[in-house]
Amino acid sequence: MASSQISQSKLIGAFLVCGLVWTSLQAYIIHSFGFPWMTAVNDAGVNALLLSSACWLINNNLRYYQPDKGSYIYLLIWCAALAGACVAGCRYAMPLFNMGTVYFNFLQQSLIIRFFTLFLAIGWMAMISALWYSQLDHKKTVERKTEAEKLARDAELYNLRQQLQPHFLFNSLNSINALIGFKPELARKMIHQLSDFLRGTLKKDDQLLVPLTDELAHLNLYLEIEKVRFGHRLHTEISCDEKCGESMLPSLLLQPLVENAIKFGLYDNTDQVTISVRAETEDQYLVIMIQNPYDPKTSRGSKGTGFGLSGVQRRLYLIFARNDLMETHANDNIFTTIIKIPQL
């Protein structure tokens, strides 16, 4: 809004300068026909006042009404009518100054030239105003479209993030319920861990990007809960390059990926399972690799299915507008998920 007002002020200033130049030039031309400067200035001043009124009228009209492509003929008629009105005003206003018969005859003989000159000036004003306000309307339309797309993107991002929590929460509550009877201490510990994890999630709800160190700290809260659930079966290895500790990534991005790795690594396996998370910088990217073992006969991990992977890929697209930031591989019973986060 402020930039629009500044642009409008600049436009008005430019027209005032043009009006002053127009008045000075007309006064000089009339003086060159042998009339005194006072007569020339009076003539130029009255014409400039009438022309300014016509230009203001057409500019103000085009501010609120933009003609269609087939309606420009009406705009030309409107310009001609205003030019005729200006000439008529000049014809009947100038004799009131009593500047003599010679000037009056000159005035009558120059009415046709005045009409076409004023018609061209008003026409230029109409064309410039039409282009100006058309550009402003287009800019506002683009801004509204961009804002609507941003709101839709933010709403979808929020919806994706909200979908990540319920099933994890239900699983944790079921585990707590199972532990209450025979391991109450572990149940209480898990409740405290779940509380810390959810509190951290709430703090990150309004953050789009966070440092990797913060994301890993939050991930560790999640892993501590999962280790209570799965006991000795779950082992984790997290390694982070020193250079990438302050690299930025979307908040709560790693938890669904690790949850997906745990799901397909432990649910169909009774042995000890190691989930590894490695992060490093590569060119202008933060590269994170998550690996888990899986059984191709019973697991769907090789197909890359599951809400965790699809939700993360959708979030990356909404934030960075790219579909090539996540890839998955399945080799030698090891499922690997690699994500690349551009560092802007």
Side-chain angles (χ1 to χ4, degrees):
M1 181 64 71
S3 61
S4 178
Q5 291 176 347
I6 293 174
S7 299
Q8 185 71 17
S9 300
K10 290 182 178 180
L11 182 64
I12 293 174
F15 282 130
L16 288 175
V17 172
C18 291
L20 182 61
V21 172
W22 177 280
T23 304
S24 302
L25 183 60
Q26 184 171 346
Y28 174 78
I29 292 174
I30 294 175
H31 175 70
S32 66
F33 280 93
F35 294 101
W37 275 111
M38 182 60 68
T39 300
V41 170
N42 288 337
D43 185 295
V46 171
N47 274 274
L49 180 61
L50 293 171
L51 178 60
S52 299
S53 300
C55 289
W56 175 85
L57 185 61
I58 195 115
N59 176 72
N60 197 58
N61 188 37
L62 289 172
R63 178 185 301 179
Y64 303 105
Y65 168 73
Q66 288 291 321
D68 298 329
K69 292 183 178 180
S71 302
Y72 283 107
I73 185 65
Y74 299 107
L75 187 59
L76 291 176
I77 295 173
W78 183 232
C79 292
L82 287 175
C86 290
V87 170
C90 182
R91 165 64 179 79
Y92 292 104
M94 293 310 300
L96 298 177
F97 288 90
N98 295 321
M99 290 185 290
T101 305
V102 176
Y103 171 77
F104 184 71
N105 292 333
F106 168 78
L107 176 63
Q108 288 184 312
Q109 293 173 0
S110 63
L111 290 179
I112 296 179
I113 296 177
R114 289 173 186 265
F115 170 81
F116 284 107
T117 303
L118 291 172
F119 175 74
L120 289 175
I122 297 172
W124 273 104
M125 179 66 189
M127 182 183 69
I128 293 173
S129 297
L131 291 175
W132 177 266
Y133 291 118
S134 176
Q135 184 181 26
L136 285 182
D137 287 345
H138 177 69
K139 183 178 179 180
K140 290 178 181 178
T141 301
V142 171
E143 289 176 351
R144 287 194 296 268
K145 182 180 178 181
T146 302
E147 183 66 21
E149 290 176 348
K150 181 180 182 299
L151 290 174
R153 185 193 67 179
D154 291 345
E156 186 173 354
L157 280 171
Y158 179 80
N159 184 52
L160 285 171
R161 289 176 56 173
Q162 293 307 303
Q163 293 180 56
L164 294 174
Q165 301 304 327
H167 64 282
F168 162 69
L169 180 60
F170 296 151
N171 290 337
S172 299
L173 291 176
N174 287 333
S175 298
I176 292 172
N177 182 57
L179 290 170
I180 287 176
F182 64 99
K183 293 183 179 180
E185 291 298 326
L186 281 179
R188 280 194 291 270
K189 178 182 178 181
M190 193 170 181
I191 290 173
H192 289 305
Q193 291 172 335
L194 181 61
S195 175
D196 291 340
F197 176 80
L198 294 177
R199 188 180 296 111
T201 300
L202 292 174
K203 289 180 180 179
K204 290 188 175 187
D205 273 348
D206 58 348
Q207 295 177 284
L208 182 62
L209 299 176
V210 297
L212 177 61
T213 52
D214 291 355
E215 183 71 3
L216 290 178
H218 190 72
L219 179 64
N220 279 323
L221 289 175
Y222 165 75
L223 289 174
E224 289 300 320
I225 297 172
E226 295 293 73
K227 287 178 181 179
V228 174
R229 288 181 60 202
F230 294 102
H232 70 281
R233 293 179 55 213
L234 175 61
H235 282 245
T236 58
E237 295 179 354
I238 300 178
S239 61
C240 175
D241 188 346
E242 294 180 359
K243 299 179 181 179
C244 62
E246 296 303 317
S247 299
M248 306 298 288
L249 75 163
S251 63
L252 304 176
L253 188 73
L254 297 183
Q255 184 258 326
L257 293 176
V258 174
E259 183 175 358
N260 185 80
I262 292 174
K263 176 181 177 181
F264 293 109
L266 273 79
Y267 283 14
D268 298 314
N269 196 337
T270 58
D271 299 328
Q272 177 178 305
V273 170
T274 299
I275 306 296
S276 67
V277 179
R278 293 197 293 273
E280 60 183 19
T281 56
E282 183 179 306
D283 297 331
Q284 298 298 317
Y285 294 90
L286 168 64
V287 181
I288 301 175
M289 182 171 62
I290 300 171
Q291 291 183 316
N292 64 275
Y294 80 102
D295 186 349
K297 297 178 181 179
T298 60
S299 176
R300 294 178 300 160
S302 60
K303 298 179 182 179
T305 59
F307 177 78
L309 296 181
S310 61
V312 168
Q313 189 165 28
R314 182 60 180 167
R315 284 187 65 195
L316 291 173
Y317 173 75
L318 291 172
I319 296 173
F320 300 106
R322 292 177 56 179
N323 278 319
D324 60 339
L325 298 178
M326 188 179 82
E327 56 185 77
T328 58
H329 305 283
N331 295 308
D332 299 328
N333 294 346
I334 297 294
F335 187 76
T336 304
T337 303
I338 300 175
I339 57 173
K340 297 180 179 180
I341 311 299
Q343 299 301 297
L344 306 177

